[in-house]
Amino acid sequence: MRAWALPAGMVVAAGVLAAGLAPVWAKDVGDGDRPFTRRDLLAALYPLVKRMEARGAIAPSTMPSIMTYADLEGRDRDWAVELASQFHLFVGMPALTTGRFNPSLPLTRWEASVVLGELLERTHPEARKLLASNEPRVFSDLTPAEGRRLEPLVTQGVLIGFPDQTFRTQEPLTHAQWARVSERLGSLDAFQAPAAAPRKPLSLQDDYRLLNSVRDR
């Protein structure tokens, strides 16, 4: 087989073109172009949520739901059920309402935005202040309703999009893109909710006042 060498100028031009089409959030991380699957999402999201919970940046729902995923086993099942039932992070993903998680499916950009939007909505307001603050952006391939839903993620720097002002909702998220998202969410690890002030023990005088108030009722 005969090898053909391209002129140097053409190589440079191709490189510039590729750079122009690359997403703003993408990084060169080896196999970063590999699609990020739903199973990958579980493996990345669960530790993040548990760290946030430990620091008081997010709390489980006071109204947990019962979720089951017949196509998950072991750790994947436990993680998916907790994220869905305790934190309601998969609300708005229709494919997850049928009792199947489809773990091997690539996660689309829109599905990622839905999950991350639910995460931010449940994040402590003071913790959200640690995220970046950017100007809103308009994406030419989003409807106004989609743009409004995406706006909190964009203005807080979690998702940015492509230089040509498109978001490309149905394209798979890549590992490189998730690495960028994870880097931006990393600032949440700096949040620590203030501990509640210890309650002062009641004195004998307090007990006496309490008994008198009950007697007078």
Side-chain angles (χ1 to χ4, degrees), residues 43-56:
L45 193 60
Y46 185 81
L48 170 66
V49 171
K50 298 308 287 185
R51 290 198 308 272
M52 291 174 62
E53 182 184 14
R55 295 174 180 272

Side-chain angles (χ1 to χ4, degrees), residues 47-163:
L48 170 66
V49 171
K50 298 308 287 185
R51 290 198 308 272
M52 291 174 62
E53 182 184 14
R55 295 174 180 272
I58 193 172
S61 172
T62 57
M63 299 182 64
S65 58
I66 300 176
M67 301 296 296
T68 59
Y69 298 111
D71 55 349
L72 293 178
E73 296 179 352
R75 186 189 70 176
D76 289 343
R77 179 193 58 216
D78 295 342
W79 287 0
V81 167
E82 184 172 352
L83 292 176
S85 63
Q86 298 292 329
F87 297 95
H88 305 311
L89 294 187
F90 302 137
V91 177
M93 291 180 66
L96 298 183
T97 62
T98 60
R100 300 186 65 83
F101 197 82
N102 297 311
S104 61
L105 285 183
L107 188 75
T108 68
R109 296 180 191 280
W110 186 249
E111 289 171 336
S113 71
V114 169
V115 173
L116 292 170
E118 297 294 340
L119 177 68
L120 282 192
E121 187 174 331
R122 288 159 178 73
T123 298
H124 194 292
E126 292 301 315
R128 286 201 300 268
K129 291 181 180 179
L130 297 175
L131 297 173
S133 179
N134 299 320
E135 292 295 324
R137 295 183 63 189
V138 176
F139 297 100
S140 61
D141 58 342
L142 296 183
T143 66
E146 289 172 336
R148 287 192 295 271
R149 184 163 189 173
L150 192 64
E151 185 174 340
L153 296 171
V154 175
T155 56
Q156 294 185 294
V158 179
L159 297 177
I160 299 176
F162 290 82

